[in-house]
Amino acid sequence: MGLKVRVTREGILIPEELFKEMMSTYAKVEQILATLETLADEEALKTIERSREEVAKGEFVECSANDLEKVLS
């Protein structure tokens, strides 16, 4: 079964199945790029390591996003 892309005066028509696959792949690439950016940021890696250490020591606070401002003040 071949998926056909059609070019018209109004634009390019892409079958829905192909479009969904393209968007899924795009999302995966975006996630990979975000991970690579984090891994390239030494300060971010240090922050992650400090956070891991704090969690291991039990030095953390759990709260909802709505309560975050209260916890940080």
Side-chain angles (χ1 to χ4, degrees):
M1 176 175 117
L3 298 175
K4 293 188 179 185
V5 175
R6 269 190 353 196
V7 179
T8 69
R9 289 182 186 196
E10 291 79 30
I12 299 173
L13 300 174
I14 300 171
E16 185 176 359
E17 181 182 329
L18 177 58
F19 181 75
K20 287 180 181 179
E21 185 177 330
M22 290 169 57
M23 293 308 295
S24 174
T25 301
Y26 173 77
K28 289 175 188 174
V29 169
E30 284 291 307
Q31 291 173 347
I32 291 168
L33 289 175
T35 300
L36 291 174
E37 287 175 6
T38 300
L39 292 173
D41 183 341
E42 288 185 37
E43 192 59 38
L45 291 177
K46 288 177 186 175
T47 300
I48 291 169
E49 182 60 30
R50 283 192 300 270
S51 295
R52 285 181 166 178
E53 291 170 358
E54 290 172 359
V55 169
K57 294 176 185 176
E59 299 172 355
F60 64 94
V61 175
E62 288 187 52
C63 69
S64 69
N66 296 334
D67 295 332
L68 188 57
E69 193 171 316
K70 291 177 194 173
V71 171
L72 294 176
S73 60

